[in-house]
Amino acid sequence: MARCQPSRPVAYLRVHGTADGTIPFAGGRNMPGAEDCVARWRQHNGCADGPEEAFEDLDQAVEGSETLHQPWRDCEGDSGVQLFRIEGGAHVPSFTPASRLHLMMQVMSYVRP
């Protein structure tokens, strides 16, 4: 985000597996981690502390409700920041049709006129 300096809050949604071998969840080699990126967008968007948290079943390749969904909704300009942390998830999740729709609805909830 160092080169990206938007003039207003921007909604941000990140889906990232903790077992991603391509782009590590924790970051590395000049790549910030998923949580670092989310923290930067929360700061830019002026989000209040303390997200809602709930586990969801999004990745059919990982058993159970493996995804920790952390949305920060109390942000300036109705921007919102969300992290979907797929515990044990790989670089390319195996989303079900229902989980794809769920994620798309999350994205569409921030569309500006």
Side-chain angles (χ1 to χ4, degrees):
M1 193 164 119
R3 289 179 276 165
C4 178
Q5 297 297 323
S7 60
R8 64 180 188 199
V10 176
Y12 181 79
L13 184 146
R14 177 140 186 171
V15 179
H16 206 126
T18 60
D20 186 336
T22 305
I23 302 173
F25 185 84
R29 291 194 352 209
N30 299 323
M31 283 186 283
E35 291 174 332
D36 290 338
C37 288
V38 167
R40 289 177 189 174
W41 281 108
R42 285 180 31 229
Q43 181 180 20
H44 175 76
N45 290 353
C47 300
D49 289 337
E52 305 165 21
E53 291 186 346
F55 276 93
E56 302 178 10
D57 186 8
L58 299 182
D59 190 338
Q60 59 190 349
V62 181
E63 192 172 323
S65 296
E66 77 296 317
T67 302
L68 177 60
H69 179 200
Q70 298 175 291
W72 288 265
R73 300 186 194 283
D74 189 15
C75 305
E76 295 172 8
D78 294 323
S79 56
V81 173
Q82 298 186 57
L83 174 61
F84 288 85
R85 176 189 175 123
I86 304 174
E87 298 295 336
H91 184 67
V92 179
S94 295
F95 292 131
T96 65
S99 60
R100 279 190 226 108
L101 178 61
H102 173 60
L103 290 169
M104 183 54 66
M105 295 305 290
Q106 295 295 318
V107 170
M108 297 303 290
S109 71
Y110 294 109
V111 172
R112 295 178 186 225

